[in-house]
Amino acid sequence: MQLRKLLRYGYRSLTGEPHEKRDFSFYVMNQLAKWLDMRIYNKHTNWQDDRDFLAVMRRFDPRYPRIKERQFFLYNLARSLRHLPGETAECGALGGASSHVIMSAFEDDRPHHIFDSFSGLSEPTEHDKPETTEVRALQAGEFASPLEATRRNLAEHPHAVFYKGWIPERFDEVADKQFCLVSVDVDFYEPTRDSVLFFFPRLVAGGALVCDDYGFSTCPGAKKAMDEAAESLGRKVIHVPTGQGLILK
Ligand SMILES: C[S@@+](CC[C@H](N)C(=O)[O-])C[C@H]1O[C@@H](n2cnc3c(N)ncnc32)[C@H](O)[C@@H]1O
């Protein structure tokens, strides 16, 4: 049955309408993905081809190959919050890609606060152990990138403010500020918990906190921290299919 379908699609891709060639490629790739217990995106979504977003990312990295779904989602989320007052922040910036996404989306000079050890991940707790050994456990010290490199990468954004140190050591320096968007991307339980509990009360009405690691089997502690914090704040996490989790104010 599958073979007949494959032959029929294959024949049509050679003789039929232009879209049939694409349909055939998609069919073959989809079957292969299913066989490997994976999946590929719907062939009719068009976010992958968003030229404006690609241009934004090529400013950050001229060799940026193709749109990454989490960055695309973050960009659209940030753009939808531009009308709000309040500043923006990121906990866990590494080389600065998602901070670039946020500041490019806002297109104004409101301060963007960046908190990072610039020495990589902190120590994991027992909550950070993946459920199965088929998933690699992240280690302390991974994702280390020097502050100066991130500063250089974000040179086009003079309103970026850097706070080097272990979360939450330097949070008190922004304790009197209000935020409309906070991105949390620190992978493990403790810094995710500390970031959410500090920043959520400082979000303006309509603001959002997004956790980049929420739906990843490599980061069970981030999910636990978000769920517990949301519960204590009387909120539910919105789990989006990119793997991100959001809490709205
Ligand atoms: C996965 S990377 C972030 C990726 C980044 N958002 C991007 O756009 O590429 C995680 C970052 O969190 C930082 N980090 C992890 N745990 C931390 C902690 N406890 N305190 C401060 N920074 C931390 C690491 O140094 C690293 O830069």
Side-chain angles (χ1 to χ4, degrees):
M1 180 61 189
Q2 295 292 7
L3 183 64
R4 274 173 55 192
K5 205 167 173 182
L6 183 70
L7 291 173
R8 195 171 67 239
Y9 273 26
Y11 176 72
R12 285 213 210 118
S13 78
L14 295 171
T15 59
E17 299 289 320
H19 71 82
E20 286 177 304
K21 185 163 183 220
R22 189 173 152 85
D23 289 348
F24 177 64
S25 311
F26 184 83
Y27 177 77
V28 172
M29 294 308 293
N30 207 26
Q31 293 304 317
L32 185 63
K34 271 191 198 164
W35 182 62
L36 293 169
D37 196 23
M38 294 177 176
R39 58 181 300 168
I40 57 176
Y41 282 111
N42 184 302
K43 65 176 180 283
H44 295 303
T45 55
N46 54 20
W47 59 264
Q48 300 95 318
D49 308 318
D50 189 302
R51 287 180 177 278
D52 291 344
F53 184 70
L54 211 47
V56 166
M57 293 317 291
R58 295 235 164 108
R59 285 205 325 259
F60 183 78
D61 173 5
R63 290 173 307 164
Y64 186 80
R66 54 196 301 190
I67 295 177
K68 296 179 182 164
E69 60 274 52
R70 282 186 279 168
Q71 291 171 344
F72 186 75
F73 179 80
L74 180 62
Y75 183 70
N76 280 274
L77 175 67
R79 284 207 311 179
S80 79
L81 301 174
R82 282 201 304 209
H83 63 287
L84 292 177
E87 303 180 7
T88 59
E90 178 161 57
C91 303
L94 192 66
S98 39
S99 281
H100 169 74
V101 167
I102 293 171
M103 289 184 278
S104 302
F106 275 91
E107 285 184 311
D108 58 21
D109 57 0
R110 68 182 85 197
H112 175 73
H113 305 271
I114 294 176
F115 294 87
D116 201 300
S117 64
F118 294 104
S119 308
L121 304 182
S122 46
E123 285 296 329
T125 63
E126 86 264 22
H127 305 310
D128 299 302
K129 251 167 94 179
E131 275 178 17
T132 127
T133 49
E134 282 175 21
V135 175
R136 188 177 75 83
L138 297 173
Q139 306 292 325
E142 277 191 56
F143 302 118
S145 166
L147 166 59
E148 282 323 310
T150 307
R151 208 190 279 281
R152 256 195 324 275
N153 295 342
L154 295 175
E156 73 165 272
H157 304 288
H159 47 290
V161 192
F162 297 87
Y163 304 82
K164 179 174 160 67
W166 294 106
I167 288 169
E169 279 170 10
R170 300 196 58 187
F171 281 173
D172 57 354
E173 293 173 48
V174 296
D176 60 345
K177 301 199 182 300
Q178 292 222 293
F179 298 87
C180 58
L181 175 62
V182 177
S183 167
V184 178
D185 190 1
V186 283
D187 296 63
F188 287 157
Y189 177 77
E190 285 180 346
T192 303
R193 176 200 61 198
D194 294 344
S195 301
V196 182
L197 292 178
F198 177 81
F199 280 103
F200 191 82
R202 291 173 174 80
L203 283 182
V204 298
L209 183 146
V210 56
C211 173
D212 206 59
D213 313 309
Y214 183 75
F216 286 81
S217 49
T218 43
C219 302
K223 180 174 192 310
K224 181 176 168 61
M226 280 284 283
D227 287 338
E228 287 176 359
E231 177 82 31
S232 74
L233 296 161
R235 296 293 196 283
K236 289 278 181 216
V237 177
I238 305 172
H239 186 177
V240 290
T242 56
Q244 288 147 305
L246 279 91
I247 312 180
L248 304 180
K249 190 74 178 262

